[in-house]
């Protein structure tokens, strides 16, 4: 569904590439988690996958429509949550089409799923960061993509909503979609990802199955802080050991 071969990217005003030699692929019904420290190029990579930024070398092939959940979005107008969410239907009918009754039904269903239906008439700009993140996810659900790409979708969320987003990611994969998300939490990757890509500035990325990649050794090397993986806890856990 998505195949990335040997891509590199350099910002026009920058002397060295942000990344080089990323290689990975993802099939239908699979989830890929992208992990890496701040500034390692996760958002840049996502923007190249979406063709918002042009790659310098390599190839990206995907089949199907992509939907993108950015980390933040500024709303230029004073849209309500429902207006913001129903915009997701534009990807199917065209950006300037008027939403139909069934689009509003799908919109409200998506808002309910992310726990934001009671805010439907509230101004998007009056929401907290975490609430906005949930609305952006609802908007992407309305667009019903084949490939869903989410940039740190849980970064502003409490544990309950983090879990809600992880469950939604699993459901999307079960429906046959391919999902790519970036996260700072290896445990989230362990819970939902089939494949993992570790990115580190100025180094080759490491790609493989979640069980191969989410090891204490590779994660400790990635974040430069001891990260433990415990197989004996009632369920497997991965946690940083703070100094
Ligand atoms: P991450 O998502 O992993 O935190 P980013 O992809 O946002 O990392 O950024 C990777 C690097 O690219 C950072 O060093 C950042 O400063 C740089 N960068 C981001 N946007 C631009 C830009 N528009 N021009 C030049 N450098 C940029």
């Amino acid at each position: 569904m998505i195949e990335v071969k040997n891509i590199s990217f350099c910002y026009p005003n920058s002397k060295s590439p942000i990344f080089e030699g990323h290689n990975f692929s993802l099939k239908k019904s699979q989830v890929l988690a992208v992990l890496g420290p701040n500034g390692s190029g996760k958002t840049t990579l996502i923007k190249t996958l979406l063709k918002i930024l042009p790659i310098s070398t390599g190839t990206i092939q995907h089949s199907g429509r992509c939907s993108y959940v950015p980390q933040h979005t500024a709303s230029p107008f004073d849209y309500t949550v429902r207006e913001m969410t129903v915009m997701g239907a534009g990807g199917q009918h065209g950006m300037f089409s008027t939403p139909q009754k069934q689009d509003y039904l799908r919109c409200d269903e998506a808002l309910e799923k992310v726990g934001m239906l009671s805010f439907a008439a509230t101004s998007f700009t009056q929401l907290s960061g975490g609430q906005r993140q949930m609305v952006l996810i609802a908007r992407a659900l309305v667009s019903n993509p084949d490939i869903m790409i989410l940039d740190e979708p849980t970064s502003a969320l409490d544990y309950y909503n983090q879990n809600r987003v992880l469950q939604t990611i699993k459901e999307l994969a079960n429906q046959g979609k391919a999902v790519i998300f970036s996260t700072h939490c290896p445990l989230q990757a362990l819970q939902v990802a089939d494949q993992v890509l570790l990115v580190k500035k100025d180094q080759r990325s490491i790609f493989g199955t979640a069980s191969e990649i989410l090891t204490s050794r590779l994660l400790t090397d990635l974040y430069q802080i001891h990260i433990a993986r415990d197989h004996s806890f009632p369920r497997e856990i991965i946690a940083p050991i703070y100094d």
Side-chain angles (χ1 to χ4, degrees), residues 9 11-14 18-19 36-47 53 71 151-152 182 184 199 201:
F9 174 82
Y11 281 105
N13 53 354
S14 158
I18 298 296
F19 57 75
N38 293 127
S40 59
K42 298 179 297 299
T43 300
T44 305
L45 169 64
I46 283 175
K47 287 184 177 168
L53 293 172
Q71 237 181 95
D151 194 357
E152 292 185 26
S182 59
H184 282 299
V199 295
K201 213 163 181 200

Side-chain angles (χ1 to χ4, degrees), residues 12-32:
N13 53 354
S14 158
K15 288 198 190 96
S16 54
I18 298 296
F19 57 75
E20 279 181 297
H22 281 342
N23 280 294
F24 59 91
S25 60
L26 196 66
K27 297 193 188 102
K28 225 167 133 51
S29 298
Q30 284 192 330
V31 178
L32 169 73

Side-chain angles (χ1 to χ4, degrees), residues 158-203:
D158 59 46
Y159 285 130
Y160 182 83
N161 282 317
Q162 287 179 21
N163 190 47
R164 192 167 359 214
V165 170
L166 296 178
Q167 294 312 316
T168 304
I169 288 175
K170 273 192 202 167
E171 276 174 40
L172 289 168
N174 288 338
Q175 290 162 12
K177 299 173 195 305
V179 185
I180 298 176
F181 76 109
S182 59
T183 177
H184 282 299
C185 179
L187 184 58
Q188 292 179 1
L190 185 69
Q191 297 288 7
V192 300
D194 304 285
Q195 313 282 351
V196 174
L197 183 74
L198 300 186
V199 295
K200 201 168 176 183
K201 213 163 181 200
D202 305 323
Q203 287 189 18

